[in-house]
């Protein structure tokens, strides 16, 4: 297994949907997402890495977003919100040009929350992305304080043989 912490930096996160209602700020305590005047019909997405949901990350992010030799990727992050909020999490896998697979999970933020996501690589997938859809009303502040990616690489089975 190879483990790597992704540098927490606001340039890795991209608002999607109603972008005018999402502000990103980075400081020593993490990356802050400020949601402003949200209503239940808003599409408030924060995506790790760039490009639209249909496309893999750009070349700028492909080293961090690559499966490499891994069959399974585990993403762990620490989120904290100033009020309770439901989040729909999208786990997406990509080939070289388009999205190949997507699945979702749900998480409720209520104070400091550890989020652990697992992506089992599908055949032909080269890259991954995650996106958080925040379901909330009014103003809210969410802080991301840690982000780790672990790649589980399978051990190759060696053939056994007998010497006579």
């Amino acid at each position: 297994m190879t483990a790597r912490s992704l540098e927490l930096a606001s340039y890795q996160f991209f608002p999607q949907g109603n972008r005018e209602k999402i502000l990103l700020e980075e400081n020593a305590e993490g990356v802050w997402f400020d949601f402003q005047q949200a209503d239940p019909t808003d599409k408030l997405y924060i995506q790790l890495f760039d490009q639209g949901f249909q496309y893999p990350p750009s070349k700028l992010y492909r080293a961090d977003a690559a499966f490499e030799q891994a069959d399974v990727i585990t993403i762990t992050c620490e989120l904290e919100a100033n009020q309770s909020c439901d989040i729909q999490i999208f786990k997406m896998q990509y080939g070289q040009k388009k999205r190949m697979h997507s699945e979702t999970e749900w998480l409720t933020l209520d104070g400091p929350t550890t989020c652990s996501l697992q992506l089992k690589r599908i055949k032909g997938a080269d890259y991954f992305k995650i996106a958080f859809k925040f379901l909330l009303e009014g103003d809210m502040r969410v802080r991301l304080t840690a982000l780790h990616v672990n790649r589980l690489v399978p051990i190759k089975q060696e053939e056994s043989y007998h010497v006579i």
Side-chain angles (χ1 to χ4, degrees), residues 38-56:
D39 67 60
T41 62
D42 286 334
K43 294 180 178 169
L44 304 172
Y45 294 92
I46 300 294
Q47 174 186 280
L48 178 62
F49 309 129
D50 65 352
Q51 307 263 48
F53 294 149
Q54 293 303 319
Y55 303 103

Side-chain angles (χ1 to χ4, degrees), residues 31 34 46 105 117 120 154 163-164:
V31 177
D34 286 310
I46 300 294
E105 289 184 22
L117 308 168
K120 292 182 181 176
V163 177
I164 300 179

Side-chain angles (χ1 to χ4, degrees), residues 24-46:
L24 276 69
E25 175 190 338
E26 182 181 0
N27 64 24
E29 299 173 350
V31 177
W32 294 90
F33 308 112
D34 286 310
F35 300 97
Q36 302 174 341
Q37 300 173 354
D39 67 60
T41 62
D42 286 334
K43 294 180 178 169
L44 304 172
Y45 294 92
I46 300 294

